């Protein structure tokens, strides 16, 4: 966000908007939908609603002397992983919590919203900057959980043989169109500045801004499509160990993978499950719900490789600067013109459409998160945020890979060129896809 929006009134408006968007995502749900936990990595929607509320209670309201929590045990139930904050309920057992009820959970939200609005009113009179910062973190945190609500719901609904369509109207707005030939955009070598700098919000893992030598490379101008991925499958991609990393091949064998998550053979065709129900695979749209292992194997099959995160960010900055004549740290330009975010209400990647100008990359932001070959590690000189919020990102910097760019389940104001998402290499339930790179 821009500096001007960071004042108290801007913060209050954004608080209301972010909290309302979370609840708008839940509007089509029935009470039973809120409680299902389909696997350890996914949480029930009700838990997301309460946990994001707990975050404001703990890191904002609870920082003030004499604060009385809404419920004495909600801290135990809805703390996710903050060890320094206290004991917590087991993550894989979030689905056994029939109480608090959905109604009580919404009452919890109402109460904390009321207290937060009182506090934001005091902000107008000048409140400590550390509280304003914690509110900012809480808003970006809630946006992350908006994406998780969508991906966790999708996973839960996919377990149901009825294949329920949670957002049946989403498909109606689909833009369609052809992906067009995949082209590579070339980038010369050089010392590049990577990472976040400036007054706008960013997570601690995006800093400090630092220099990286990036060799000459080419980056695909769009993500890999379902049609291209089908060609990999038909060429025996899932039965050729020479294409796979060792641990990737182990995952293929152990899990019986033969297609991206949510793909199913139906007669002679292939169907996939979406949040607007099952349908035929669209060969023009970006392939989604692939693991790092699958992305890496596909790239090897295609005679290419995955980009490093420094290459990805270099290309994104150049694309965004092309529109704004600036570094592109927070503004969205040409790279997002064809990007599809959660705000659009479709929750599924779409065909990219033609490039806005010759050589401009498409869908760098939005549609699908793009696996990079970069391990999720601290930037040189990285310092976690002080206090318990220091547990937010830093402690997960092992055994995960960085993804860039946001997806059709990401709120548009959440993502930026420096944003680092991260998941283990076998994770498939996020909206993760593939963008190829090549050496020059
Ligand atoms: Fe969280």
């Amino acid at each position: 966000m821009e500096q001007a929006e960071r004042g108290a009134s801007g913060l209050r408006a954004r608080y209301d908007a972010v909290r309302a968007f979370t609840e708008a995502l839940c509007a089509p749900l029935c009470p039973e939908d809120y409680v299902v936990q389909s696997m350890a990595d996914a949480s029930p929607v009700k838990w997301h609603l309460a946990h994001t509320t707990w975050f404001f209670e703990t890191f904002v309201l609870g920082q003030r002397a004499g604060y009385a929590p809404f419920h004495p045990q909600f801290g135990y139930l809805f703390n996710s992983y903050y060890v320094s904050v206290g004991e917590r309920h087991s993550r894989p057992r979030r689905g056994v919590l029939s109480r608090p009820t959905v109604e009580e959970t919404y009452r919890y939200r109402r109460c904390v919203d009321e207290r937060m609005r009182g506090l934001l009113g005091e902000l107008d009179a000048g409140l400590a900057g550390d509280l304003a910062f914690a509110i900012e973190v809480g808003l970006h945190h809630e946006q992350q959980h908006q994406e998780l609500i969508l991906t966790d719901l999708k996973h839960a609904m996919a377990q149901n043989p009825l294949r329920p369509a949670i957002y049946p109207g989403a498909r109606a707005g689909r833009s369609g169109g052809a992906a067009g030939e995949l082209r590579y955009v070339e980038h010369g070598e050089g010392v590049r500045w990577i990472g976040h700098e400036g007054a706008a919000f960013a997570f601690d893992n995006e800093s400090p801004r630092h220099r990286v030598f990036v060799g000459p490379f080419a980056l695909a101008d769009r993500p890999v499509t379902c049609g291209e991925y089908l060609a990999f499958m038909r060429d025996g991609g899932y039965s050729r160990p020479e294409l796979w990393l060792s641990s990737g091949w182990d995952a293929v064998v152990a899990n019986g993978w033969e297609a991206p998550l949510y793909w199913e053979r139906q007669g002679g065709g292939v169907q996939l499950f979406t949040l607007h129900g099952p349908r035929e695979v669209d060969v023009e749209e970006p392939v989604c719900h692939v693991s790092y292992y699958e992305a890496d194997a596909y790239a090897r099959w295609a005679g290419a490789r995955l980009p490093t995160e420094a290459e990805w960010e270099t290309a994104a900055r150049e694309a965004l600067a092309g529109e704004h004549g600036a570094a592109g740290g927070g503004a969205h330009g040409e790279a997002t013109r064809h990007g599809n975010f959660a705000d659009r209400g479709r929750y599924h990647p779409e065909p990219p459409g033609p490039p806005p100008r010759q050589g401009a990359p498409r869908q760098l932001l939005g549609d699908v998160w793009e696996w990079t070959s970069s391990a999720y590690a601290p930037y040189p000189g990285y310092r976690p945020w002080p206090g318990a919020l220091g547990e937010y990102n830093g402690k997960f910097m092992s055994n995960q890979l960085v993804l860039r760019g946001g997806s059709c389940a990401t709120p548009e104001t959440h993502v930026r060129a420096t944003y680092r998402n991260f998941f283990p290499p076998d994770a498939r339930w996020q909206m993760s896809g593939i963008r190829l790179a090549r050496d020059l």
Side-chain angles (χ1 to χ4, degrees):
M1 74 233 60
E2 300 304 320
Q3 184 69 36
E5 291 180 281
R6 303 188 77 203
S9 59
L11 201 53
R12 195 168 49 215
R14 284 192 298 110
Y15 181 87
D16 288 343
V18 169
R19 297 284 282 177
F21 188 63
T22 304
E23 297 185 15
L25 291 176
C26 301
L29 304 185
C30 63
E32 290 83 354
D33 296 329
Y34 282 88
V35 189
V36 179
Q37 180 174 28
S38 54
M39 64 170 171
D41 282 340
S43 297
V45 173
K46 186 176 69 175
W47 189 90
H48 287 297
L49 291 177
H51 164 70
T52 49
T53 305
W54 166 85
F55 195 95
F56 285 110
E57 236 196 343
T58 302
F59 294 110
V60 181
L61 298 171
Q63 299 300 306
R64 310 191 90 193
Y67 179 74
F70 175 81
H71 189 289
Q73 287 171 290
F74 278 12
Y76 179 82
L77 290 181
F78 301 123
N79 177 0
S80 50
Y81 54 67
Y82 295 87
V83 176
S84 59
V85 172
E87 295 291 319
R88 70 221 73 88
H89 181 70
S90 160
R91 183 181 184 188
R93 294 175 56 76
R94 290 172 184 166
V96 304
L97 301 173
S98 63
R99 309 295 175 94
T101 64
V102 172
E103 196 183 332
E104 285 173 297
T105 302
Y106 274 109
R107 276 209 300 279
Y108 178 36
R109 286 182 71 91
R110 294 286 87 76
C111 173
V112 167
D113 282 345
E114 198 177 303
R115 293 175 184 181
M116 282 295 297
R117 287 181 189 121
L119 183 71
L120 284 157
E122 290 179 42
L123 264 175
D124 282 334
L127 198 68
D130 53 351
L131 275 188
F133 173 73
I135 295 169
E136 196 74 69
V137 175
L139 293 176
H140 290 267
H141 171 255
E142 183 138 349
Q143 288 184 314
Q144 290 180 324
H145 281 273
Q146 289 164 354
E147 178 150 10
L148 291 172
I149 284 173
L150 291 166
T151 56
D152 293 2
L153 254 180
K154 184 172 183 177
H155 192 268
M157 294 303 128
Q159 314 312 308
N160 187 332
L162 296 176
R163 298 289 189 271
I166 289 289
Y167 305 99
R171 191 179 180 183
R174 215 173 135 261
S175 61
E181 188 186 347
L182 187 147
R183 298 175 190 278
Y184 282 89
V185 182
E186 297 188 354
H187 299 266
E189 67 179 23
V191 175
R192 310 295 180 204
W193 284 97
I194 299 299
H196 173 78
E197 187 179 64
F201 178 85
F203 284 103
D204 55 5
N205 60 9
E206 298 169 59
S207 293
R209 189 162 158 78
H210 61 284
R211 281 168 294 188
V212 174
F213 178 78
V214 178
F217 71 101
L219 190 70
D221 75 333
R222 61 160 173 77
V224 170
T225 62
C226 288
E228 290 162 338
Y229 199 82
L230 270 168
F232 163 73
M233 290 167 56
R234 288 173 180 149
D235 196 36
Y238 282 90
S239 54
R240 292 169 54 184
E242 71 273 18
L243 295 174
W244 295 78
L245 292 167
S246 173
S247 50
W249 183 248
D250 289 348
V252 169
V253 172
N255 300 306
W257 288 347
E258 45 185 37
L261 184 63
Y262 304 132
W263 287 34
E264 290 179 327
R265 292 188 200 284
Q266 288 285 335
V270 186
Q271 275 206 338
L272 50 71
F273 180 67
T274 74
L275 280 162
H276 45 81
R279 66 162 166 79
E280 292 293 309
V281 165
D282 181 344
V283 296
E284 302 291 338
E285 73 187 23
V287 67
C288 188
H289 295 297
V290 292
S291 63
Y292 171 78
Y293 293 137
E294 288 161 301
D296 175 78
Y298 176 87
R300 191 165 294 110
W301 173 82
R305 60 173 174 79
L306 299 179
T308 67
E309 63 172 324
E311 289 170 340
W312 191 98
E313 189 168 320
T314 297
R317 284 179 176 278
E318 286 179 14
L320 296 169
E323 175 80 352
H324 293 280
H332 294 171
E334 286 190 347
T336 67
R337 187 171 294 160
H338 296 278
N340 159 31
F341 296 94
D343 314 63
R344 205 177 285 178
R346 297 182 188 168
Y347 317 130
H348 195 76
E350 295 179 342
R357 63 175 165 78
Q358 190 63 31
R362 293 171 282 168
Q363 297 175 309
L364 269 173
L365 300 183
D367 286 282
V368 287
W369 287 101
E370 297 172 7
W371 286 106
T372 73
S373 61
S374 297
Y376 179 50
Y379 285 163
Y382 167 69
R383 293 282 178 276
W385 285 329
L389 283 176
E391 293 189 51
Y392 200 115
N393 284 312
K395 71 181 187 181
F396 300 109
M397 289 175 173
S398 74
N399 301 324
Q400 310 212 50
L401 280 302
V402 172
L403 300 97
R404 293 298 196 112
S407 81
C408 54
T410 310
E412 184 165 6
T413 56
H414 184 67
V415 77
R416 56 199 155 264
T418 58
Y419 195 103
R420 307 175 81 200
N421 197 0
F422 51 92
F423 277 95
D426 60 349
R428 307 209 295 173
W429 92 110
Q430 295 302 298
M431 305 282 189
S432 47
I434 309 168
R435 187 182 296 270
L436 298 177
R438 278 195 332 212
D439 297 321
L440 286 179

